[in-house]
Amino acid sequence: MQQKIIILDFGSQTTQLIGRRVRELDTFCEILPYNKFPQNDPTVIGVILSGSPYSVHDPEAFKVDLSQFVGKVPVLGICYGAQFISYANGGKVEKADSREYGRANLTQFDSQNPLFAGFEPNSQVWMSHGDTITAIPDGFECIASTANVRYAAYASTLQPIWAVQFHPEVFHSVQGTQLLRNFVVDICGSKQEWSAASFIDTTVNELRQQLGNDRVILGLSGGVDSSVCATLLNKAIGNRLTCIFVDHGMLRKNEFSKVMDMYNGLGLNVIGVDASDRFFKDLEGVTDPEQKRKIIGRDFVEVFNAEARKITDAKWLAQGTIYPDRIESLNITGKVIKSHHNVGGLPEEMHLSLCEPLKWLFKDEVRRVGHQLGIPDRLIKRHPFPGPGLAVRILGDITREKVRILQDADDIYISAMEQYVCPDGELLYDKVWQAGTVLLSTVRSVGVMGDERTYEHPVALRAVTSTDAMTADWAHLPYDFMAKVSNEIINKVRGVNRVCYDISSKPPATIEWE
Ligand code: XMP
């Protein structure tokens, strides 16, 4: 029986982070909308209530019937979760005189309380709330305070309920992981059996049972998720898995052949389809970004489907969908947003069922599973790359020549990044979430090379740091690195005479230019 922690999501931006922290404690968890607590599930060993953008007094605030789990399994309320528990039990929550935001220190805490086992005096925590608890309910006691927040943490004296107004899941709560460990492992009794190896064993067994002797089709992209998904399925059903990898001609330099070699090395049964002529033809003269995306999306689905149809006995379509793609996160209008899928729909007449073996994993777990499966680091640590490829990094119309220019510039940039060792010993490539070059082919500027005047295109370098691509900051690349890359691109890439660096964050910009 696999134990699990349920995290009820009240719409906080850090709910996913709570999930990741729990998984880092080798404990399985599920993030569910606040009103979807699973009834009668004996595998649930504890419940965490997340923060929320609401005040408990807002008419639209999310409310939950605590009796579904209180007294049955241990409960931890975080921020809004803590305020809601107080409010629902007759305590008092009021607007704070000033918003309590940022670092604070636990000036007092009950070192005998199991939630604070191992805590250092004055432990730093992170606060972020506009309301504050001014009175805790009967039957509860204060177990920690900061200089400004009297009830930084409180607990029930009668039932297994704990509540903290700070955010243990964020990095700035220095002993936050310790607190979550105290809750998940010591209080809830997690046996910490969730690991990459156990996930692979369990999943391979489940896939064998689910798929029997059926044939499965999977679309590979060269990215981490689809590659790990394919390798896992290959381990379960071997050659009954057929992978299709479509080359639309706008991949990185030599990427199609490099990735095909890697897949063959992993023993995957892969059909590589070079459909670049068709894509270039259909994109001829198209300059509008949305139009480009639509054409590529449509062509991709058609090429993929044409290949898939040839595998007449296939019963399943496998996808590398991962957990963050699926989590029903709540926005503050109260609507539940169902997240996207990443592959276009296959024709209904094929009657394929969907198989998504990575659907419970966070990105870093997918990487750990990939590593455990023996997938080379180069593939596991790859930066994300957009489905439409370099097409969304060429402003203006797309030609083979422009793709060639961009591939050459991108290759110089990314290879240099893969080789650049930072002072802490980590590769620059691994520090950056995503990097690439953009060809401003609608712009020309004057330059001079040797004695010749040039009038050519600029290339923009883009590099961002991020944790989920929803928000991103431009990466502060070392100047010596940028100097080397700029020099090499201008000297070696015919058609480029200027290099710029994009210093826009997301929002308001996006990571890709189109
Ligand atoms: P933006 O440009 O919206 O990109 O900030 C966020 C992340 O998504 C990637 N991206 C795509 N990935 N198909 C994909 O599979 C697409 O059409 C697509 N467009 C953008 C982008 O590279 C970044 O990681």
Side-chain angles (χ1 to χ4, degrees):
M1 185 182 88
Q2 177 174 267
Q3 302 176 313
K4 70 178 164 216
I5 297 279
I6 296 294
I7 298 162
L8 291 182
D9 181 17
F10 290 84
S12 162
Q13 292 186 345
T14 58
T15 305
Q16 277 211 35
L17 204 49
I18 304 174
R20 283 172 49 186
R21 295 282 174 266
V22 173
R23 293 281 182 91
E24 280 162 18
L25 296 167
D26 299 328
T27 305
F28 184 67
C29 64
E30 268 183 56
I31 298 173
L32 296 173
Y34 69 99
N35 55 357
K36 296 275 172 66
F37 182 77
Q39 304 296 329
N40 306 320
D41 180 345
T43 65
V44 177
I45 58 168
V47 179
I48 298 178
L49 310 185
S50 83
S52 173
Y54 285 123
S55 151
V56 292
H57 298 298
D58 286 339
E60 332 79 298
F62 300 135
K63 305 218 159 98
V64 64
D65 173 8
L66 296 170
S67 70
Q68 295 175 94
F69 39 81
V70 160
K72 297 173 186 159
V73 288
V75 178
L76 173 66
I78 293 177
C79 194
Y80 174 92
Q83 293 166 356
F84 182 77
I85 291 171
S86 172
Y87 166 85
N89 286 286
K92 238 191 205 163
V93 177
E94 295 178 279
K95 264 254 136 332
D97 292 338
S98 59
R99 229 178 109 75
E100 287 159 354
Y101 182 82
R103 291 179 178 81
N105 298 85
L106 296 183
T107 43
Q108 285 177 33
F109 62 87
D110 175 1
S111 58
Q112 300 303 308
N113 193 291
L115 195 65
F116 290 115
F119 261 58
E120 308 282 339
N122 275 311
S123 195
Q124 178 183 298
V125 294
W126 185 262
M127 294 283 183
S128 175
H129 48 100
D131 280 359
T132 196
I133 298 171
T134 49
I136 52 175
D138 290 343
F140 287 78
E141 60 181 355
C142 179
I143 56 171
S145 310
T146 69
N148 294 324
V149 180
R150 174 148 182 229
Y151 300 109
Y154 68 94
S156 166
T157 52
L158 309 167
Q159 287 173 308
I161 307 175
W162 286 261
V164 294
Q165 286 202 87
F166 54 88
H167 286 271
E169 69 278 19
V170 307
F171 174 76
H172 296 294
S173 287
V174 174
Q175 291 191 280
T177 302
Q178 177 71 37
L179 185 146
L180 290 171
R181 176 192 303 279
N182 292 340
F183 179 71
V184 169
V185 180
D186 299 333
I187 295 175
C188 298
S190 163
K191 296 193 197 116
Q192 298 188 279
E193 288 173 337
W194 171 260
S195 67
S198 74
F199 170 82
I200 293 169
D201 282 350
T202 317
T203 310
V204 163
N205 280 333
E206 282 171 5
L207 286 170
R208 283 184 184 143
Q209 282 185 11
Q210 180 187 25
L211 304 173
N213 288 321
D214 293 350
R215 184 166 288 285
V216 181
I217 303 176
L218 178 143
L220 282 171
S221 68
V224 183
D225 303 342
S226 64
S227 303
V228 171
C229 183
T231 312
L232 195 59
L233 274 156
N234 184 51
K235 193 173 162 75
I237 61 165
N239 271 356
R240 286 199 305 284
L241 170 71
T242 306
C243 305
I244 300 171
F245 183 23
V246 177
D247 182 5
H248 50 33
M250 280 150 281
L251 296 171
R252 293 194 149 123
K253 188 173 182 175
N254 300 326
E255 184 166 33
F256 187 62
S257 57
K258 277 198 249 175
V259 173
M260 280 298 280
D261 286 349
M262 207 142 41
Y263 285 148
N264 287 323
L266 286 166
L268 298 179
N269 174 17
V270 192
I271 300 171
V273 189
D274 176 358
S276 54
D277 284 346
R278 169 184 179 153
F279 283 86
F280 279 112
K281 187 166 160 294
D282 289 351
L283 284 168
E284 222 171 86
V286 179
T287 55
D288 177 66
E290 275 313 297
Q291 197 62 23
K292 285 184 197 170
R293 280 176 175 274
K294 278 202 187 110
I295 292 170
I296 295 171
R298 180 204 65 202
D299 280 4
F300 189 90
V301 169
E302 285 178 17
V303 171
F304 183 83
N305 289 354
E307 281 310 313
R309 273 205 192 88
K310 294 180 192 162
I311 306 158
T312 49
D313 56 343
K315 296 246 168 49
W316 298 83
L317 174 72
Q319 283 187 174
T321 318
I322 69 172
Y323 198 33
D325 298 336
R326 297 190 316 120
I327 295 178
E328 290 182 21
S329 52
L330 303 159
N331 73 9
I332 49 172
T333 63
K335 288 196 189 113
V336 174
I337 303 167
K338 189 87 185 162
S339 289
H340 56 277
H341 280 302
N342 42 14
V343 173
L346 275 178
E348 294 234 328
E349 89 257 6
M350 291 183 67
H351 303 300
L352 296 177
S353 310
L354 206 56
C355 169
E356 297 177 308
L358 307 182
K359 66 182 178 186
W360 292 111
L361 302 190
F362 289 101
K363 192 84 181 180
D364 46 337
E365 294 173 318
V366 175
R367 293 200 161 107
R368 272 195 273 157
V369 166
H371 184 75
Q372 183 83 21
L373 285 165
I375 298 178
D377 258 15
R378 272 201 47 221
L379 215 163
I380 292 177
K381 292 189 173 172
R382 278 172 127 227
H383 290 170
F385 187 67
L390 301 180
V392 293
R393 296 181 182 171
I394 295 174
L395 307 195
D397 68 327
I398 294 163
T399 62
R400 280 194 186 265
E401 173 60 5
K402 288 183 188 176
V403 171
R404 195 274 309 158
I405 293 176
L406 193 55
Q407 281 178 333
D408 286 346
D410 178 81
D411 189 48
I412 290 170
Y413 181 40
I414 300 299
S415 308
M417 198 174 258
E418 284 170 341
Q419 281 157 23
Y420 189 94
V421 184
C422 297
D424 63 0
E426 196 182 5
L427 292 176
L428 184 57
Y429 183 86
D430 294 339
K431 280 200 187 296
V432 164
W433 164 268
Q434 185 170 7
T437 47
V438 183
L439 181 63
L440 313 190
S441 80
T442 49
V443 177
R444 275 172 191 266
S445 75
V446 175
V448 56
M449 252 192 151
D451 292 330
E452 295 280 315
R453 173 188 190 270
T454 59
Y455 189 49
E456 292 172 333
H457 303 300
V459 153
L461 307 180
R462 183 79 164 131
V464 296
T465 53
S466 178
T467 49
D468 53 12
M470 300 297 286
T471 60
D473 197 4
W474 58 277
H476 295 215
L477 298 180
Y479 278 4
D480 59 333
F481 168 79
M482 290 205 275
K484 178 176 173 297
V485 169
S486 154
N487 215 11
E488 206 175 328
I489 290 178
I490 293 172
N491 281 325
K492 291 192 180 159
V493 183
R494 213 167 11 92
V496 175
N497 66 349
R498 199 175 285 272
V499 172
C500 311
Y501 189 48
D502 179 352
I503 51 169
S504 333
S505 59
K506 173 185 177 176
T510 50
I511 296 175
E512 305 294 345
W513 278 43
E514 288 200 337

